[in-house]
Amino acid sequence: MSHADLTVDAWLALSADAAERTAAAIARDVDAELLGVAACGYAGRAGRVALFERDGFRFALVPGGTVHVGHDPDRFVPTRRQLDDFAEAVDLYSVPGPIHRFLAEALSPPRRAELPARLVAVRSVDADTLLTAEHDGTDDHDSVMARLAWRGLRPPTPDEWEHDCGAGATTLFRWGDEYPDGEPYGDVPLIQQPNFFGLVIGDDPYRTEFTTDPSVLCGGDGGSALCGGSGAFLSWITLATAYRDPTQAEVVYDGSLVGETPLRPVLPLP
């Protein structure tokens, strides 16, 4: 079986020794260094994380298979505080309600996807850090893709990004449906700690990330809601796993922000 066929359930069902052997074989296949395999826990779920390093990037193993991505807003039961925060957004910023209708428009729809296992960078990097001798100074989506391909890498697809972030969680955020007091800015441990797969992802609303689809960026809104003082609900919702801002790509490309916009390198498995 190809390592690209490794599913989440199969990975978690391995014994500790078998997981170590599997990770070592993956490292050999992609010419990477295996840093270790360790048990982990996240949001009440028990799992394991395998970390690798290659060409200066630290990667984590993200198993694939048939996965659920997107979000069904009908499953969301808002708290009193969330309803109050949303009501404030409606009053101050003319956000269309009710809350479930807003979420249906702001989040990608629930769906199933068949995804390969792969190695995913633990942290995103700015496109400008990937300049190569092959780079001609052009800043567009094709240029970003070429910079990664030159290294044998690519960004995640939109479905892969959501799976990387949520790891199968059906809640609004990867950790649950609620968000803490305050806004997602600065030293907020909840969004800065590695997730179920060992990735630091969806950790900063300013750092929306490229995907293989030039029209879809994930993981924030470029900081628009937070910087604009739009309140807790609109600021936190940008870090929801399935959040999509259809205007973000236009802002990035028209505003010459390509080099400052991060992406998350993916190392495919053979």
Side-chain angles (χ1 to χ4, degrees):
M1 180 185 76
S2 166
H3 289 125
D5 296 326
L6 182 65
T7 67
V8 176
D9 288 343
W11 169 243
L12 296 180
L14 293 174
S15 68
D17 287 345
E20 189 78 31
R21 290 195 299 271
T22 298
I26 289 173
R28 290 193 297 271
D29 284 350
V30 297
D31 193 26
E33 177 187 359
L34 175 62
L35 300 180
V37 181
C40 73
Y42 184 81
R45 301 165 62 194
R48 62 162 56 96
V49 168
L51 295 177
F52 306 78
E53 190 162 309
R54 195 183 89 164
D55 298 334
F57 294 107
R58 179 161 293 193
F59 295 92
L61 172 64
V62 174
T66 302
V67 303
H68 294 271
V69 290
H71 187 267
D72 181 0
D74 291 337
R75 295 172 61 96
F76 177 58
V77 180
T79 64
R80 181 71 260 168
R81 179 165 65 92
Q82 288 174 323
L83 288 172
D84 290 343
D85 288 346
F86 183 74
E88 179 183 39
V90 171
D91 289 342
L92 296 180
Y93 301 101
S94 300
V95 173
I99 191 170
H100 290 90
R101 176 185 172 186
F102 171 81
L103 290 176
E105 295 178 354
L107 308 175
S108 69
R111 59 203 185 279
R112 297 172 71 179
E114 293 287 341
L115 303 179
R118 57 212 180 280
L119 300 188
V120 179
V122 170
R123 294 181 180 272
S124 61
V125 297
D126 289 337
D128 275 352
T129 67
L130 299 172
L131 294 178
T132 70
E134 312 298 320
H135 184 232
D136 62 3
T138 303
D139 263 343
D140 56 22
H141 189 266
D142 287 344
S143 171
V144 172
M145 298 304 101
R147 296 179 209 177
L148 279 178
W150 189 76
R151 292 170 165 81
L153 304 170
R154 62 170 177 81
T157 68
D159 285 350
E160 286 175 345
W161 194 97
E162 290 189 18
H163 177 58
D164 296 344
C165 183
T170 59
T171 47
L172 190 59
F173 305 98
R174 58 188 179 276
W175 60 80
D177 281 325
E178 179 62 292
Y179 48 77
D181 291 334
E183 296 176 328
Y185 181 78
D187 187 16
V188 181
L190 183 66
I191 61 176
Q192 293 177 348
Q193 68 182 105
N195 73 352
F196 188 72
F197 290 140
L199 306 177
V200 179
I201 189 169
D203 59 313
D204 186 339
Y206 285 91
R207 292 182 63 79
T208 181
E209 300 180 13
F210 282 116
T211 69
T212 55
D213 185 337
S215 67
V216 177
L217 287 83
C218 296
D221 68 343
S224 296
L226 184 58
C227 184
S230 300
F233 187 88
L234 294 184
S235 296
W236 276 103
I237 202 64
T238 65
L239 295 183
T241 302
Y243 178 77
R244 299 284 177 88
D245 181 353
T247 68
Q248 186 61 29
E250 180 180 347
V251 171
V252 168
Y253 299 126
D254 289 352
S256 300
L257 298 175
V258 175
E260 301 172 21
T261 299
L263 47 83
R264 189 168 297 268
V266 172
L267 178 57
L269 298 183

